[in-house]
Amino acid sequence: MSASPPHSPNRSGLLSDVEKIFGDERDLIASRLITEGGSKPLVIENLKVRRRRYTHDPVGYSASTNEPFQEAPFVSTPLDRYRKKVSIVGCGQVGLAVAFSILNKEICNSLVLVDVNGERLEGEVLDFQQASAFAKRCTVEGSTNFDVTRDSNLVIVTAGAKQKPGQSRLDLLDTNTKILKSIVSQVLKYSPSSPICIVSNPCDVMAAVASKIAKDLPPGQIFGSGTVLDTGRFRQLIASSLNLDIRSVTGYVIGEHGDSSLAVWSSVQNGGVKLLPPGNEPGDLENAIHSEVVNAAGVVIAKKGYTNWAVGMACAEIAEVVLGDLRLVLPVSTCVRGYAGVAEDVFLSVPCVVGSKGVIRVFDLELTASETALFKKSASTVWDAQKEVWDRM
């Protein structure tokens, strides 16, 4: 004998938003399964009380119960499964590269995309749902509304306006500040405890703006992707030049994710050996390597029009650290007021311990005098851009 469909009072309020097929909680289950890429006819068939039988519930040993066996009305409910959920806001070239990289890393079982262009988004979601057949189980959903991001474990924001011909950087900052204000409020409405990683450029300023918009969140819950990518490029150049695996090279690029960043040569080691002898200042060789890092994005943009795959992989690395609470040290963008003498509420990249709550701790690098001066200069550069919108918020 089949069991009647179960009903959970705490979910009843959600039923009003879904298509009426059965008139009970199965409508919510059907909606979820279809949204995640299921075939509507098969989903409906499998939720019927009288349906094709090809599974049964686990059976207890014979003496464990006197109750007659009752089969659940569905194979498995999507409403109660444990999820590691990542939501990506903005589905341009960068957002899609982030999604693709995360899907291939197989680090979450729920991937959500949000974008204002509903038609294009629907196509991208369908494409990703079909691609997920070749990865470990991960559902992919998309919407123009933020309710789909509910209970995310990480939200990555790549949305933002592109600079138009003749538009000043300040005008672009004003535009993106307005966009970010609406995004952050919606994200926190549905995932108030989720770490938020800001990738939208200029990411240091945008991370600071997002943090001020959010106001009372714990420090570190909002951070920028920062120089994770720059540091990766830096280490890759050194490792490839010396024919080493990149894991043999340690060292950081800190400061702005941009032209005023600095390579901390005093921190660079290969196999535990400092690349620059203690007390020596970077010379033409070191400056040439850092210039390659700074100009890397420009070279790619000149050839293909945009960058996406490298930043996608960098964000997937951040996502893996957050979802796994790995406590890995990454140079993400966080508030550096008081760091190396910086006085303003500016966000820059420094080595941080990153975990499930975002930035947990910040490492105090022992910078040389010249590195300290360059870090302060980077802070001044970012603050000059940030202060114009900061005081008007």
Side-chain angles (χ1 to χ4, degrees):
M1 180 178 177
S2 297
S4 59
H7 177 72
S8 299
N10 62 330
R11 294 173 184 152
S12 59
L14 301 174
L15 289 171
S16 60
D17 299 326
V18 301
E19 181 183 355
K20 300 298 185 294
I21 301 172
F22 299 101
D24 53 43
E25 191 182 53
R26 289 175 296 172
D27 291 342
L28 187 58
I29 296 169
S31 174
R32 178 71 60 83
L33 292 173
I34 293 167
T35 299
E36 293 174 353
S39 165
K40 185 174 180 178
L42 182 57
V43 168
I44 293 173
E45 172 63 31
N46 191 54
L47 290 172
K48 291 177 180 177
V49 174
R50 298 181 181 276
R51 67 185 188 282
R52 299 176 188 175
R53 306 293 184 190
Y54 54 91
T55 66
H56 66 267
D57 284 350
V59 179
Y61 65 94
S62 58
S64 65
T65 178
N66 294 320
E67 294 295 323
F69 170 68
Q70 292 186 329
E71 183 187 21
F74 36 79
V75 175
S76 63
T77 173
L79 304 181
D80 296 321
R81 62 177 176 239
Y82 173 73
R83 293 188 172 204
K84 285 189 176 180
K85 180 175 183 177
V86 178
S87 294
I88 300 169
V89 182
C91 291
Q93 294 294 344
V94 171
L96 294 175
V98 173
F100 183 78
S101 300
I102 289 175
L103 190 63
N104 274 280
K105 262 187 174 284
E106 300 180 334
I107 53 177
C108 67
N109 49 22
S110 179
L111 187 60
V112 169
L113 308 179
V114 177
D115 196 83
V116 294
N117 188 337
E119 179 104 6
R120 181 170 178 269
L121 176 63
E122 186 176 352
E124 298 290 1
V125 169
L126 287 170
D127 211 359
F128 273 120
Q129 287 175 342
Q130 294 160 21
S132 68
F134 305 99
K136 289 182 181 176
R137 186 165 190 257
C138 179
T139 62
V140 184
E141 300 174 72
S143 179
T144 56
N145 298 316
F146 280 82
D147 56 355
V148 74
T149 67
R150 188 187 304 273
D151 298 328
S152 295
N153 298 103
L154 172 65
V155 177
I156 299 174
V157 179
T158 68
K162 294 181 180 179
Q163 193 164 8
K164 299 176 182 177
Q167 185 181 34
S168 70
R169 182 171 65 169
L170 180 56
D171 288 339
L172 180 63
L173 280 173
D174 278 333
T175 300
N176 280 338
T177 296
K178 292 174 184 175
I179 294 172
L180 197 59
K181 188 173 183 179
S182 64
I183 290 173
V184 171
S185 62
Q186 287 293 301
V187 166
L188 292 176
K189 176 181 177 181
Y190 294 104
S191 300
S193 300
S194 173
I196 302 174
C197 178
I198 305 296
V199 185
S200 311
N201 277 321
C203 80
D204 301 301
V205 176
M206 291 294 98
V209 166
S211 183
K212 189 170 185 179
I213 290 169
K215 293 183 180 178
D216 298 326
L217 291 186
Q221 185 174 336
I222 294 179
F223 61 95
S225 55
T227 58
V228 170
L229 174 55
D230 312 63
T231 295
R233 287 169 172 157
F234 180 57
R235 293 171 60 211
Q236 181 269 324
L237 278 172
I238 295 172
S240 296
S241 300
L242 301 178
N243 194 29
L244 294 172
D245 186 291
I246 193 171
R247 291 171 294 182
S248 300
V249 179
T250 59
Y252 297 101
V253 173
I254 65 172
E256 179 196 9
H257 173 54
D259 294 346
S260 72
S261 69
L262 64 138
V264 186
W265 285 102
S266 62
S267 73
V268 179
Q269 296 186 9
N270 300 317
V273 178
K274 286 186 176 294
L275 190 63
L276 191 68
N280 287 23
E281 290 293 323
D284 291 341
L285 172 62
E286 290 78 19
N287 291 334
I289 293 172
H290 181 236
S291 292
E292 282 194 65
V293 173
V294 172
N295 296 325
V299 172
V300 174
I301 291 170
K303 293 180 180 295
K304 61 178 277 190
Y306 54 88
T307 62
N308 62 332
W309 296 117
V311 68
M313 289 293 286
C315 290
E317 174 80 359
I318 294 170
E320 184 174 23
V321 172
V322 171
L323 295 176
D325 193 28
L326 299 185
R327 310 298 175 101
L328 194 66
V329 178
L330 298 173
V332 294
S333 188
T334 190
C335 185
V336 294
R337 186 184 67 254
Y339 198 106
V342 174
E344 296 82 16
D345 286 317
V346 66
F347 273 49
L348 294 177
S349 290
V350 290
C352 299
V353 180
V354 179
S356 60
K357 301 297 183 183
V359 173
I360 299 171
R361 300 287 290 176
V362 179
F363 272 83
D364 298 314
L365 279 174
E366 294 185 8
L367 302 175
T368 65
S370 59
E371 289 167 347
T372 299
L374 288 171
F375 187 78
K376 288 181 177 178
K377 183 179 179 181
S378 185
S380 178
T381 299
V382 174
W383 179 248
D384 284 344
Q386 179 180 320
K387 67 183 180 182
E388 299 297 335
V389 295
W390 196 251
D391 294 335
R392 297 199 301 272
M393 291 176 61

